[in-house]
Amino acid sequence: MQRMSALLETEALTITAGSRTLVRGLTFSVRAGSLVAVLGPNGVGKTLTLHTLAGLRSPTSGLVRLRGTDSDALGQRERALAVGLLLQEQDDPFPTTVLQTALMGRHARLGLWQWETAEDHAAAGAALAAMDLTGREQRLAGTLSGGERRRLGLATLLVQDPDVLLLDEPLNHLDPAHQFAVLAALGRLAGEGKAVIASLHDPALAARHFDSALLLHGDGRWQLGSVTSLLTGDTLADLYAVPFEPYQGAHATVMLPSPPLTRPQAVDKVTPLRRRPPSEHGPR
């Protein structure tokens, strides 16, 4: 049986910011059906790594390939069909409606001067429904809450329908119910043959909903492996510089941070403020 080619792969990828080498020599491949969580503390280069994979910035050295082709050799349309990026923060520079914003994801599939078809509108409606935004189609995107705007960004990416989805903190601003809904949607996409690479701040969610993890330490070091083998107490403690302990849930054991408790010195009693007695020489 012929081995399936990688949708995205890197070769000796090095990423720097100023004088800092954040990622050194990253080599890995992502195939159809993959769910990869990118984990690490603030400032270690998770966003820059995703931007480099998406082609928004050039690596200091190394290569990024999309379906076996050097990403630098691809045109904008080819790149948009191969990879899509959810930014960590999204602006609304123009007063567009929720539906119009979602339809922007379809532009890579339209010809020059071609208007959206009924099929495109159907794809946008399905994506908005998947992100629980049905009924908000005519609202201005700028009036949405942070969580709704996050889900709109994901819906736009679903409309774009790239092979690889690069998601920078896709769960940011989301309540637990919508977090699980988004994670379920990502799992369905992987089941359909897409690849998902997402930065997260919750190792427990990564362990339960992703199959692989890429750990970034911010000093050039990186680790890649299955969530089962990699997301252990010792590894996470080294990554985040706080201890982690196992907690048994109803369906699985998860690792949660367990920093030492420090409490301020207890106050034995509180002395109430006393009203000052009126002066004998005060006004009558």
Side-chain angles (χ1 to χ4, degrees):
M1 182 176 179
Q2 185 177 5
R3 189 180 182 188
M4 185 180 296
S5 62
L7 296 180
L8 181 150
E9 57 189 331
T10 68
E11 180 180 329
L13 195 69
T14 295
I15 299 170
T16 60
S19 61
R20 295 179 59 200
T21 298
L22 300 173
V23 181
R24 180 183 291 108
L26 176 62
T27 299
F28 78 116
S29 62
V30 179
R31 304 184 185 281
S34 298
L35 287 162
V36 183
V38 183
L39 299 172
N42 299 137
V44 298
K46 298 187 295 297
T47 293
L48 292 182
T49 297
L50 292 176
H51 286 189
T52 303
L53 297 179
L56 293 187
R57 71 189 309 270
S58 298
T60 303
S61 61
L63 296 174
V64 177
R65 297 190 183 93
L66 299 172
R67 286 195 176 276
T69 301
D70 187 340
S71 65
D72 288 339
L74 297 176
Q76 292 184 354
R77 179 184 176 87
E78 293 175 298
R79 191 193 302 274
L81 296 177
V83 63
L85 173 66
L86 177 72
L87 296 171
Q88 187 176 128
E89 299 291 342
Q90 297 189 255
D91 298 324
D92 298 297
F94 304 105
T96 56
T97 66
V98 167
L99 178 60
Q100 290 170 333
T101 302
L103 283 170
M104 289 180 185
R106 210 66 172 173
H107 289 177
R109 299 182 178 276
L110 299 178
L112 187 64
W113 306 115
Q114 181 181 356
W115 290 95
E116 297 90 351
T117 65
E119 181 182 354
D120 299 323
H121 279 262
L128 292 173
M131 292 294 107
D132 192 24
L133 291 171
T134 300
R136 299 171 177 84
E137 291 86 351
Q138 300 309 316
R139 279 185 57 181
L140 290 177
T143 67
L144 298 178
S145 70
E148 290 172 326
R149 189 63 187 84
R150 200 74 186 134
R151 294 181 346 250
L152 177 56
L154 287 163
T156 304
L157 203 57
L158 295 181
V159 175
Q160 181 180 335
D161 193 28
D163 294 330
V164 181
L165 291 87
L166 303 174
L167 310 177
D168 197 355
E169 298 188 23
L171 306 182
N172 193 23
H173 301 305
L174 299 188
D175 58 66
H178 284 112
Q179 285 187 355
F180 289 131
V182 166
L183 290 167
L186 298 183
R188 289 192 295 271
L189 289 170
E192 296 167 1
K194 306 293 185 183
V196 177
I197 305 175
S199 66
L200 301 175
H201 281 296
D202 191 334
L205 290 178
R208 293 198 58 184
H209 297 274
F210 289 73
D211 49 54
S212 302
L214 173 62
L215 309 186
L216 302 181
H217 291 263
D219 56 3
R221 292 182 297 145
W222 54 273
Q223 296 169 276
L224 180 68
S226 69
V227 294
T228 303
S229 63
L230 202 55
L231 300 186
T232 64
D234 290 341
T235 303
L236 292 172
D238 178 57
L239 180 68
Y240 290 106
V242 295
F244 276 73
E245 294 181 356
Y247 288 84
Q248 182 62 51
H251 304 288
T253 300
V254 296
M255 304 301 302
L256 297 179
S258 179
L261 294 177
T262 57
R263 295 185 177 182
Q265 185 177 359
V267 178
D268 293 333
K269 61 181 180 179
V270 177
T271 303
L273 293 176
R274 294 182 177 178
R275 185 183 300 273
R276 183 179 178 182
S279 171
E280 293 180 0
H281 302 288
R284 294 182 182 272

